[in-house]
């Protein structure tokens, strides 16, 4: 046993030592493993921290950039919105000021029965007219289409240029035809715009029994006088316009600068003398004449027919600028639509059962005065004397009562009956002065049909014709007349608006 126990004791110590060493090794390994793990954890944490810092800094930079961009965007948007709002308010203020200005202009115009609009076309049209006159070139202006309903309701503003058409100069008739009734006749249906071509004596085929033909029996004064100024013998031309009292006439003098108040002008070697006593509206002169004998007889000897300025030929026979039924002296121009009638044609018309009513309107300066206003309602018509007797009024009223037509010969006859008719469409015998201006939108009270000549572009006469037949129909008919080589104006061909 003694031998056994030491051995066991040694083995025990060995086992203890082994166990102790194993424990030490385990602790060493654990320590080392812990150190390594700590080192790895710290390394990972360090690395993670280093990575998180740049990311955090990147995100912070991004957030700052985004905040800056958003702030700049909001500021830019706010600035743009403020600019737009400011511009919008400025535009609104400008529009309101323009509307208020236009409204005030329209209100002022309404006080005069007018509509105001831009007149910028006036200058362009004057340039075209001057260029056309100087160069002889034609300048085409296409008139705008006009709605008749807009005209009646006062919506459309009509301009002078709306009544322009192109006319070759060679179509302006310079001399009357030998046979008055051999002129050409263009018949226009005012409803459909259809035209047909005839000779004037064919007018009888368009007149029916019971119709009333209204003619103007005014007689043209040989109102153009050529005289010399006392003291200088300077040539002065006078056109008699309107008779006043005490042998005083309202006249148009050319050149006006040589006819000051007190100037004396001699005509026909002293047979007739005129003295300028006053200067009136638009530069017209009041001239008092002294003479021996009868003034009308002196005029027949010394005076010339006041032909329109577009007629350049000298008229050989004064009577060719008179109608065959002219009776009452007083006009400065002939009612040219009546120049086509002959005594034989008038007798034939009466034999058909057509009544002929004679009225009088002395044609004045307005016939020669062009429309200068860009807006036609701004044009001022000169007044003219008219007279209707009982017999003429009875014939015209009878035709209307029987459902027949009133057919006026010329725009002067038309203006006479329309001036004297009441709103019920009945005519009365009367006399007076009229400055009636008829243009599209006017509602006729007496007139049904019209016999007329071809009129100047942009004139009050073509406006009157357009009021009856429609502007588009009239201008289309004029274009066809140009293509068919009709003769235009005072000594030209005729038109019947049926």
């Amino acid at each position: 046993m003694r031998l056994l126990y030491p051995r066991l004791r040694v083995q025990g110590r060995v086992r203890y030592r082994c166990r102790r060493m194993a424990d030490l090794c385990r602790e060493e390994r654990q320590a080392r493993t812990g150190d390594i793990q700590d080192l790895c954890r710290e390394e990972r944490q360090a690395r993670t921290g280093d990575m998180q810092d740049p990311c955090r800094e990147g995100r912070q930079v991004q957030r700052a950039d985004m905040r800056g961009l958003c702030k700049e965007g909001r500021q830019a948007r706010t600035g743009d919105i403020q600019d737009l709002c400011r511009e919008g308010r400025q535009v609104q203020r400008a529009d309101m000021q323009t509307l208020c200005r236009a409204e005030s202009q329209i209100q002022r115009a309404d006080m005069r029965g007018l509509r105001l609009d831009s007149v910028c076309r006036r200058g362009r049209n004057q340039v075209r007219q001057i260029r056309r006159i100087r160069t002889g070139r034609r300048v085409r202006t296409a008139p705008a289409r006009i709605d008749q309903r807009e005209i009646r309701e006062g919506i459309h503003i009509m301009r002078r240029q709306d009544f322009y058409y192109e006319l070759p100069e060679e179509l302006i008739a310079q001399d009357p035809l030998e046979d008055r009734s051999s002129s050409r006749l263009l018949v226009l249906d005012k409803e459909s715009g259809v035209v047909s071509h005839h000779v004037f004596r064919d007018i009888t085929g368009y007149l029916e029994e019971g119709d009333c033909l209204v003619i103007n029996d005014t007689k043209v004064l040989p109102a153009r006088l050529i005289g010399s100024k006392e003291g200088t013998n300077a040539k002065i031309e006078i056109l008699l316009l309107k008779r006043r009292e005490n042998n005083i006439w309202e006249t148009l003098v050319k050149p006006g600068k040589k006819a000051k108040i007190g100037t004396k002008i001699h005509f026909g070697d002293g047979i007739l003398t005129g003295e300028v006593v006053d200067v009136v509206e638009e530069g017209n002169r009041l001239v008092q004449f002294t003479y021996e004998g009868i003034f009308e007889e002196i005029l027949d000897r010394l005076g010339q027919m006041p032909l329109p300025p577009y007629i350049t030929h000298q008229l050989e026979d004064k009577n060719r600028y008179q109608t065959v039924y002219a009776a009452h002296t007083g006009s400065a121009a002939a009612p040219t639509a009546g120049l086509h009638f002959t005594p034989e044609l008038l007798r034939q018309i009466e034999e058909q059962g057509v009544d002929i009513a004679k009225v009088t309107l002395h044609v004045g300066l307005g016939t020669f005065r062009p429309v200068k206003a860009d807006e036609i309602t701004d044009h001022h018509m000169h007044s003219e004397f008219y007279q209707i007797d009982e017999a003429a009024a009875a014939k015209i009223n009878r035709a209307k009562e029987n459902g027949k037509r009133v057919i006026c010969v010329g725009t002067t006859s038309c203006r006479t009956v329309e001036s004297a008719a009441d709103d019920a469409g009945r005519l009365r015998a009367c006399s007076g002065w009229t400055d009636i201006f008829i243009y599209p939108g006017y509602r006729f009270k007496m007139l049904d049909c019209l016999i007329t000549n071809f009129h100047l572009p942009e004139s009050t006469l073509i406006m009157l014709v357009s009021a009856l037949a429609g502007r588009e129909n009239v201008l289309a008919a004029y274009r066809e007349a140009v293509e068919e080589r009709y003769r235009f104006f005072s000594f030209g061909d005729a038109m019947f608006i049926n």
Side-chain angles (χ1 to χ4, degrees), residues 266-490:
H266 299 288
F267 307 92
D269 297 327
I271 298 175
L272 180 67
T273 300
E275 181 181 354
V276 179
V277 296
D278 199 2
V279 179
V280 293
E281 183 182 4
E282 298 183 357
N284 294 343
R285 267 63 173 174
L286 295 185
V287 178
Q288 186 171 30
F289 291 98
T290 56
Y291 52 88
E292 292 183 2
I294 300 174
F295 185 73
E296 286 74 14
E297 293 180 356
I298 295 174
L299 277 184
D300 286 336
R301 289 177 55 190
L302 302 179
Q304 302 176 16
M305 282 299 179
L307 296 178
Y310 49 77
I311 295 179
T312 59
H313 292 188
Q314 186 67 35
L315 186 63
E316 296 180 0
D317 183 1
K318 292 181 181 180
N319 289 326
R320 294 310 308 271
Y321 196 56
Q322 301 278 18
T323 62
V324 296
Y325 46 78
H328 304 289
T329 302
S331 278
T336 54
L339 296 178
H340 304 285
F341 288 92
T342 64
E344 295 77 18
L345 185 57
L346 290 171
R347 281 196 298 269
Q348 185 179 351
I349 291 172
E350 286 183 309
E351 290 171 358
Q352 290 182 222
V354 177
D355 283 331
I356 298 179
K358 295 181 180 181
V359 300
T360 303
L361 183 138
H362 293 319
V363 185
L365 180 63
T367 298
F368 301 105
R369 187 175 297 278
V371 178
K372 295 181 179 179
D374 184 73
E375 188 178 327
I376 67 173
T377 51
D378 291 336
H379 178 68
H380 172 64
M381 292 286 288
H382 283 253
S383 60
E384 297 167 320
F385 179 81
Y386 73 92
Q387 185 173 2
I388 302 176
D389 60 22
E390 292 285 353
K395 290 179 180 180
I396 296 170
N397 287 330
R398 182 165 60 245
K400 298 298 286 187
E401 292 168 0
N402 294 335
K404 298 298 182 178
R405 298 173 301 171
V406 173
I407 303 168
C408 289
V409 178
T411 57
T412 58
S413 300
C414 166
R415 295 177 63 241
T416 302
V417 297
E418 289 297 319
S419 298
D422 59 24
D423 293 335
R426 188 165 183 82
L427 199 65
R428 56 188 178 84
C430 60
S431 64
W433 296 83
T434 179
D435 59 357
I436 186 172
F437 182 16
I438 298 176
Y439 52 86
Y442 178 83
R443 296 185 182 276
F444 290 89
K445 296 174 285 187
M446 297 299 300
L447 176 73
D448 296 302
C449 304
L450 180 66
I451 298 172
T452 185
N453 278 17
F454 293 95
H455 304 294
L456 276 73
E458 302 178 351
S459 64
T460 59
L461 304 182
I462 195 173
M463 294 172 190
L464 184 152
V465 173
S466 298
L468 178 62
R471 170 184 161 276
E472 288 80 11
N473 290 342
V474 169
L475 292 181
Y478 272 52
R479 286 193 293 270
E480 184 163 340
V482 170
E483 293 173 0
E484 295 292 331
R485 311 298 290 178
Y486 274 66
R487 302 166 73 244
F488 279 68
F489 305 160
S490 296

Side-chain angles (χ1 to χ4, degrees), residues 117-132 139 141 159-161 371-375 458:
D117 193 45
S118 172
V119 295
C120 61
R121 294 189 185 180
R122 179 183 302 170
R124 291 197 297 271
N125 187 69
Q126 290 177 350
V127 170
R128 292 191 188 102
Q129 295 286 350
I130 294 170
R131 191 175 298 161
R132 183 164 62 248
V139 181
T141 56
R159 297 179 175 84
R160 181 187 69 250
Q161 296 89 340
V371 178
K372 295 181 179 179
D374 184 73
E375 188 178 327
E458 302 178 351

Side-chain angles (χ1 to χ4, degrees), residues 40-106:
C40 291
R41 188 180 298 110
E42 291 174 2
E43 182 68 20
R44 285 196 301 272
Q45 290 175 351
R47 289 181 179 178
T48 302
D50 292 338
M51 291 178 67
Q52 288 176 347
D53 290 338
C55 293
R56 187 179 300 110
E57 290 175 2
R59 287 195 297 271
Q60 291 174 352
V61 170
Q62 288 178 349
R63 291 194 193 98
D65 291 340
M66 290 179 67
R67 289 193 194 99
L69 290 173
C70 292
K71 188 181 298 176
E72 292 175 0
R74 285 195 298 271
Q75 291 174 350
R77 288 181 182 177
T78 304
D80 291 340
I81 292 172
Q82 290 174 347
D83 291 340
L84 289 173
C85 292
R86 189 179 300 110
E87 292 175 2
R89 286 193 296 271
Q90 291 174 349
V91 170
Q92 286 180 347
R93 290 193 197 100
D95 290 341
M96 290 179 67
Q97 290 173 351
T98 303
L99 289 172
C100 292
R101 190 180 301 113
E103 181 66 23
S104 63
Q105 289 175 344
I106 290 173

